[in-house]
Amino acid sequence: MGDAWTAIDFETANQDRGSACAVGLVRVRGGVVEDRLTTLIRPPGPVDFFSRHNTAVHGITAADVADAPGWSEVLDRIVEFSEGGPLVAHNAAFDMGVLRQASEISGLSHPAWDYACTLVLSRRTWGELPDHRLPTVSAHVGHTITRHHRADADAEAAAHIMIAAMRRHGTASLPELAQASGVRLRRLESVRIAAPAPPQPVSVPAAAPAGEDRFSHWQRVSRTPLPQPSSDADPSGPLYGRTVCVSGDLESMDKPEVWRRVAEAGGHPAKNVTKKTDVLVIGGNGGVGKTAKHRQAETYRERGQRIDFVTEPELLTLLGMTAAS
């Protein structure tokens, strides 16, 4: 394995991908970990709020990043550390989205990077596993994650998964691995910005801010645009190409976060139940019975439409997540 590449993992302050609050980097050369870098990040101003959902996952708060470097400095470190080589990440669509969006929000240019996704690669390489979450695959290849959802630990795990996959396929470089596994390298195109971009609209917080009533929060969420299915998603994934709607409230994440996760998996998030809906996620409804969406889905199903009803734990499994991720 004579090539060099860098495993990368981001944590974000909220559901906006531009809200990077931590990054972990692990550089590998010749199949051996050569160097590591990790830092907290002060998220770009327009998206610097911390949602309780994200903090519950990674434990990072606004106070923790008060004296951390901003995105401009961290981007320079990433460029220098990666030496222009390919990037590797588990669920790479998310991490590449963070790179792109944090730069755009900050009005900064970044170079182009080739990248590989160890989530997609793991599904092709170890199809016998019950799921392909980072801890599951990492344990399978003999590497234990002791601090899951810490950027440095997750980047380290992605690096070890990639090294193991290269050994499994008998390859010496990422291009060779792409050919052997059928998982092609993708490319994050460069962003060239001549002048700082104007501030972007702030995304809807995962929880209603103090003083905002439930109805106002519902109005804000209802105006959140739906993301498009990721072009990087694995076509063999369980939600790929499926239209997913959420009924009620989930405990682990709000609806914009669900929509983002579904889109990353190649699914089509939907706000309402229609004749195109084929997955309905059933959340809580305050103990008052079935929601209108639930009843509508039952009506469609009685008429012969195939709609799978899934619980929140089942959704997390389909997304390759734990209940806290």
Side-chain angles (χ1 to χ4, degrees), residues 2 8 29 33 39 66 72 92 107 114 131 146 161 211 227 236 254 295 306 308-309 323:
I8 187 168
R29 193 184 304 274
V33 173
T39 182
S72 176
D114 291 329
D131 64 70
T146 57
I161 290 171
S236 66
D254 68 350
R295 293 193 298 271
R306 178 184 172 182
D308 294 332
F309 290 1

Side-chain angles (χ1 to χ4, degrees), residues 185-203:
L185 287 173
R186 295 187 176 271
R187 188 169 179 83
L188 177 66
E189 296 297 340
S190 62
V191 170
R192 303 295 176 191
I193 300 175
Q200 301 296 310
V202 177
S203 299

Side-chain angles (χ1 to χ4, degrees), residues 3-7 26-35 159-160 163:
D3 69 332
W5 43 269
T6 298
V26 177
R27 188 168 62 238
V28 175
R29 193 184 304 274
V32 178
V33 173
E34 180 182 70
D35 200 2
H160 283 276
I163 292 170

Side-chain angles (χ1 to χ4, degrees), residues 109-191:
S109 301
H110 70 67
W113 275 286
D114 291 329
Y115 67 91
C117 179
T118 54
L119 174 59
V120 176
L121 178 63
S122 297
R123 287 170 175 158
R124 298 287 183 90
T125 305
W126 298 288
E128 71 276 12
L129 294 180
D131 64 70
H132 295 86
R133 295 167 40 245
L134 189 65
T136 302
V137 183
S138 183
H140 182 72
V141 303
H143 176 77
T144 301
I145 305 177
T146 57
R147 299 171 300 163
H148 187 30
H149 297 304
R150 284 281 298 269
D152 54 348
D154 287 359
E156 185 89 19
H160 283 276
I161 290 171
M162 180 57 75
I163 292 170
M166 295 178 79
R167 289 174 177 159
R168 174 72 176 268
H169 289 278
T171 57
S173 69
L174 291 187
E176 289 179 5
L177 177 62
Q179 184 173 5
S181 66
V183 178
R184 65 185 180 88
L185 287 173
R186 295 187 176 271
R187 188 169 179 83
L188 177 66
E189 296 297 340
S190 62
V191 170

Side-chain angles (χ1 to χ4, degrees), residues 15-98:
Q15 77 274 11
D16 191 297
R17 290 193 188 184
S19 64
C21 64
V23 65
L25 298 160
V26 177
R27 188 168 62 238
V28 175
R29 193 184 304 274
V32 178
V33 173
E34 180 182 70
D35 200 2
R36 299 172 176 85
L37 173 67
T38 185
T39 182
L40 293 173
I41 307 168
R42 192 173 65 256
V47 291
D48 62 356
F49 60 90
F50 277 75
S51 82
R52 60 181 177 86
H53 295 286
N54 290 53
T55 294
V57 169
H58 51 55
I60 303 171
T61 67
D64 294 328
V65 303
D67 297 321
W71 179 250
S72 176
E73 181 179 343
V74 172
L75 179 61
D76 287 343
R77 293 185 189 180
I78 294 172
V79 171
E80 180 181 4
F81 188 88
S82 64
E83 299 178 338
L87 300 178
V88 166
H90 204 74
N91 190 18
F94 171 77
D95 297 281
M96 297 307 106
V98 174

